[in-house]
Amino acid sequence: MIGKFITAEGTDGSGKSTQLEKLKTYLHSLKIKTLFVREPGGTDISEKIRSLLLDISNSDMAYETEALLYAASRAQLMKEKIIPALESGTFVICDRFVDSSYVYQGYARGLDLKMVEEINKYATFGIMPDITLFFDIAPEKSIERVKKCKVFDRIEKEKLDFHKKVYNGYIELSKKYPRIKRIDASQGIDETFEQVKKYVDIIIGENNE
Ligand code: TYD
């Protein structure tokens, strides 16, 4: 792989999307060829899977089905977009990736973490991010941000308790994997972006070596 692979993670309402928009503008200003994608989604097939996953009428979806659908959406995205981009030396920024499955399906839903890791090894073709930015904000705060949005999707309807499990899952993962970098997302937009920029500049530097 030649290109660098950066993923972004956090609880719903962590401000991740705003930061990624800023990152997009930043990389554009540096004329770095970048592919931006989001999960679940990013290809026609993956977007169809996304609709199934976030449809509030699918409330009886088995957790195992959910885990496999996220993985299926990911496999398609890898094969169709991420792998070809990395091979051609393009930077890839992905809004959520495997860590979301570890945390939401593993830690929060309670599925066997080993199993979630196994299906995702298959779905990612064994390719992992160079760096993962974890937007860390207390779940009580992030849920307040989410509440301000009018339309809730199926996952966002989950209770605070679920969000706390998601948050604790991210904390556990960030202790386990050095590639996960904690960003203090409780700060203002610009202060938060300064932290993002610091890590991304390191990756850009490595790419130029
Ligand atoms: P989205 O609206 O894209 O959320 P956000 O803007 O917070 O990224 O919805 C994606 C939802 O799917 C989000 O609640 C997290 C969840 N999710 C999983 O449960 N497992 C996964 O593997 C992924 C990628 C997302």
Side-chain angles (χ1 to χ4, degrees), residues 12 16 39 50 70 74 96 100-101 104-105 153 155:
D12 299 308
K16 174 170 62 63
E39 282 212 337
R50 178 186 174 90
Y70 279 113
R74 182 163 300 133
R96 296 195 179 282
S100 284
S101 284
Y104 283 80
Q105 281 65 57
D153 66 34
I155 311 286

